[in-house]
Amino acid sequence: MNSQQNASGVEFGLRAVQFSRLTRRGILLGLSLPQLIVLAIGVLSIVGALYAGGGMLLAWTAPVWVLCATLAWTPVGGRKLIEWVPVTTRWLSRTAAGQRVFRRRIMKPRPAGTLALPGDAAALREWEDPETGAAMIHDPHAQTLTAIVGVSHPAFVLLDPGEQERRVATWGRVLATTCRSGRIARLQICERTLPDGGSGLVEWWRRHGTDDGSWTSTVYRELIDRAGPAGERHATTISLALDLRTAARQVRTNGGGIKGAAAVLRQEMTTLTTALRAAELTVTGWLTPAEVAVILRAAYDPAAAASLERHGEIGRSLATAGPVAVTETWNRVRSDSAHHAVLWISEWPRSQVYPGFLAPVLLSSGIQRAFSLICTPIRSDQAARDIRKKKTELISDAAQRAKMGQIEDASQTAEYGDVLQQEADLTAGHGVLRYTGLISISAPSVDELDTAVAAIEQAAIQASCETRRLVGQQAQAFTVAALPLCRTV
């Protein structure tokens, strides 16, 4: 049953939703720009050989046009060979420069206000807002300023269908608020599993227990000490990134610099907090630098997470929250006490699904993972231009295929239907967002990591999703998926 009736007899139904397909459109006849370039090189070599020397010269130039055809048409790992060239080139350049290995220089102090993170995240700067006490992360390259809020919520899958539908509608209003702002670069929802250090049990025993030294109280206290670290809990954060380029005028109005940017971000934080409370999500507060430091340390060093939670006085400095060592390979990354692998949700469900379809992934037990959903708001004018461009490309490609006698593919028809639905939603006043789903899996050893990755991939199949490992860029993908810093890969 996916419906219920209220006291007045009005029926509330849990409506199914459908995601748009991943756009894989090209410039001409579905061919991307790299494919067109290599095919043009191959055609020019053939034509030049025929005009210059005929069949003999054509045979001599065969390696060129055969290689071009192979690069343009041969699929490997869901991509054409030519699309692997940028990834492989960047990987080889980073390998030659020694950028796949990071070791902290403990004898060399870092500049004040920087986060002790490796790779391209080393440029991030910390700013503690004097009014709210929140930690604001400044990315000077992407020109964003990010704040992180902790939220708690009831188990969605345990709610009745009518309540689920109501909460989905209120969450949609939260996203619509983000779209209307025009100054938000990204919104990241990060849900991660953490080893429970037992602080909740310890706190309950401190308040309600009677530690009188008796045999019963001693056994009970020992059980709490042993059961705590063996547990598992879920934590959810929402990160809000202010686009400093778009908000440049408001930043100057508020005094300019990082202080002016913080003032503008505080306005967006207040708006988001109001929207979250209206959606009946409990806001636990904007994270302080100490709380952000614990998240970063626990992501890179999961073995220390339980101890950090149980001992509130250690691991609270952002200057030392980063990893001591990081080693990146083609399909995984090693940091401190764990191995990590990042999966990209390359295809969301193509058929209609009900809210809560990700339950197999989010409720998988015994696996330490972080699920990040990165939402990029698109301004209504830009979204309208993109939709018109897609419609024009689809219609022109259909006309071109008709001239060539090709039969219309069902996937192309479905893609055109998705564009029409997006146009209708935009006309109705809804916001447009681009979603990126990433899953970071961590384990103490490579064998355990492979087992956990296989389990998550199977869970994604049950959720009607397709996942792919982000090979060649695992270190960068890990900072995006496992850390709530609202970054992109």
Side-chain angles (χ1 to χ4, degrees):
M1 293 292 293
N2 286 315
S3 64
Q4 67 173 16
Q5 290 186 346
N6 62 5
S8 61
V10 179
E11 184 173 327
F12 293 100
L14 186 60
R15 293 175 296 177
V17 296
Q18 185 172 355
F19 291 83
S20 299
R21 289 154 182 80
L22 178 64
T23 301
R24 292 190 174 94
R25 300 209 40 75
I27 297 178
L28 179 63
L29 296 178
L31 299 176
S32 63
L33 180 60
Q35 286 179 293
L36 288 176
I37 291 175
V38 295
L39 286 177
I41 294 174
V43 170
L44 288 176
S45 66
I46 293 175
V47 173
L50 291 175
Y51 274 99
M56 183 59 66
L57 191 56
L58 180 64
W60 279 101
T61 58
V64 176
W65 50 264
V66 169
L67 177 62
C68 291
T70 303
L71 290 174
W73 299 109
T74 304
V76 175
R79 301 180 184 179
K80 304 300 182 184
L81 273 177
I82 187 61
E83 296 175 353
W84 283 105
V85 172
V87 177
T88 306
T89 302
R90 185 170 183 268
W91 170 264
L92 293 176
S93 63
R94 292 177 60 241
T95 301
Q99 297 178 352
R100 295 194 297 110
V101 177
F102 167 81
R103 299 292 183 268
R104 176 180 291 180
R105 299 179 180 178
I106 59 176
M107 301 299 293
K108 181 179 179 180
R110 296 179 63 89
T114 60
L115 275 68
L117 298 179
D120 57 352
L124 299 182
R125 300 291 187 269
E126 167 210 354
W127 167 266
E128 184 175 359
D129 184 33
E131 294 192 16
T132 63
M136 297 182 177
I137 310 302
H138 178 221
D139 189 340
H141 297 315
Q143 286 295 295
T144 59
L145 188 65
T146 303
I148 309 164
V149 64
V151 296
S152 61
H153 48 85
F156 183 83
V157 295
L158 299 180
L159 301 176
D160 57 72
E163 181 66 14
Q164 288 182 348
E165 176 63 22
R166 188 177 67 82
R167 288 184 177 271
V168 169
T170 55
W171 174 248
R173 287 194 286 271
V174 174
L175 296 179
T177 302
T178 305
C179 290
R180 284 193 294 268
S181 170
R183 301 182 298 191
I184 302 302
R186 282 177 297 277
L187 191 75
Q188 178 184 3
I189 300 95
C190 182
E191 197 273 347
R192 59 194 194 281
T193 59
L194 299 171
D196 192 352
S199 59
L201 292 173
V202 172
E203 181 65 20
W204 183 91
W205 174 252
R206 187 183 65 82
R207 292 184 178 183
H208 304 283
T210 303
D211 193 0
D212 54 5
S214 63
W215 177 83
T216 304
S217 63
T218 302
V219 172
Y220 203 87
R221 186 178 64 253
E222 291 177 353
L223 285 175
I224 290 177
D225 293 338
R226 294 174 182 175
E232 182 181 271
R233 64 185 180 90
H234 293 248
T236 304
T237 58
I238 298 178
S239 307
L240 184 70
L242 176 70
D243 190 339
L244 298 180
R245 297 187 183 94
T246 306
R249 182 175 60 84
Q250 291 87 348
V251 171
R252 289 193 299 269
T253 303
N254 286 274
I258 192 66
K259 292 184 178 179
V264 178
L265 181 57
R266 277 197 300 269
Q267 301 172 6
E268 299 295 341
M269 291 162 59
T270 302
T271 302
L272 179 62
T273 301
T274 304
L276 291 175
R277 288 172 177 165
E280 300 185 27
L281 296 174
T282 303
V283 177
T284 59
W286 293 92
L287 271 58
T288 63
E291 293 170 328
V292 175
V294 172
I295 293 178
L296 301 184
R297 174 73 181 278
Y300 283 103
D301 190 6
S307 299
L308 294 175
E309 182 184 358
R310 293 173 68 89
H311 305 284
E313 68 278 2
I314 62 174
R316 262 56 181 178
S317 173
L318 276 174
T320 58
V324 175
V326 175
T327 302
E328 181 186 6
T329 59
W330 180 251
N331 59 356
R332 67 176 64 92
V333 62
R334 170 80 183 273
S335 70
D336 292 1
S337 63
H339 299 261
H340 316 275
V342 181
L343 301 179
W344 167 47
I345 301 181
S346 57
E347 282 287 356
W348 297 94
R350 297 187 180 185
S351 59
Q352 290 191 338
V353 292
Y354 288 99
F357 68 94
L358 282 174
V361 176
L362 300 181
L363 299 182
S364 55
S365 60
I367 299 175
Q368 186 170 354
R369 56 108 192 104
F371 173 83
S372 287
L373 183 64
I374 301 171
C375 311
T376 305
I378 308 299
R379 294 198 316 268
S380 57
D381 56 343
Q382 181 181 350
R385 288 196 301 268
D386 292 343
I387 290 174
R388 286 195 296 268
K389 181 181 178 182
K390 289 180 182 178
K391 285 181 62 178
T392 302
E393 291 175 350
L394 288 168
I395 293 173
S396 61
D397 283 357
Q400 189 68 25
R401 285 191 298 269
K403 290 181 180 179
M404 298 174 61
Q406 294 183 358
I407 300 175
E408 192 73 12
D409 196 334
S411 62
Q412 296 158 352
T413 304
E415 186 177 354
Y416 184 66
D418 292 339
V419 173
L420 294 179
Q421 183 62 47
Q422 291 174 7
E423 185 179 32
D425 293 340
L426 185 63
T427 305
H430 298 291
V432 177
L433 298 101
R434 293 196 182 114
Y435 293 97
T436 304
L438 298 172
I439 308 172
S440 171
I441 304 108
S442 303
S445 65
V446 174
D447 293 338
E448 292 178 87
L449 177 64
D450 293 339
T451 302
V453 169
I456 291 295
E457 289 175 339
Q458 187 61 37
I461 292 174
Q462 297 176 15
S464 302
C465 297
E466 176 187 343
T467 58
R468 291 170 59 183
R469 187 177 292 204
L470 288 176
V471 296
Q473 47 191 335
Q474 283 286 307
Q476 183 184 8
F478 177 77
T479 62
V480 176
L483 309 182
L485 301 179
C486 232
R487 308 184 72 241
T488 58
V489 60

